Amino acid sequence: MSDDLGRHLKAFLQLYLRQQRELSPNTIRSYRDAFKLLLGFVHVRAPGRSSVAVKDIDAKTILAFLQ
C-alpha cells in the first residue's frame, strides 16, 4: 500500500465521506480545505519535499499546526 498521503486523502474524501457517510458537499469541502491547510503547513516545515507521506503527520505536527 502506498504511503503517499494524497492517495489516502482522496479515498477518504471521495469514497468514505461522500459514498459511505453521504455527507453534504459543504462538509466535504470543509474537510478538504482543512487538509489543504495542514499539507501547506507541513510543506513549509519541510521545504524541498515533493510529497507528504502518512508518517510525516504525527501528533506533534498536528498540535503545531493547530497552534
Side-chain angles (χ1 to χ4, degrees), residues 13-28:
L13 294 169
Q14 292 182 349
L15 300 175
Y16 180 71
L17 294 181
R18 182 175 294 150
Q19 294 177 5
Q20 292 182 16
R21 294 286 310 274
E22 298 179 351
L23 297 179
S24 76
N26 287 336
T27 301
I28 294 169

Side-chain angles (χ1 to χ4, degrees), residues 25-65:
N26 287 336
T27 301
I28 294 169
R29 278 192 289 275
S30 293
Y31 275 89
R32 180 202 62 200
D33 293 346
F35 281 119
K36 278 182 167 180
L37 291 171
L38 175 61
L39 294 175
F41 176 80
V42 171
H43 277 287
V44 167
R45 292 184 79 192
R49 284 191 154 174
S50 61
S51 66
V52 177
V54 173
K55 65 181 179 175
D56 297 327
I57 308 294
D58 57 9
K60 183 178 175 182
T61 302
I62 292 172
L63 289 174
F65 168 71

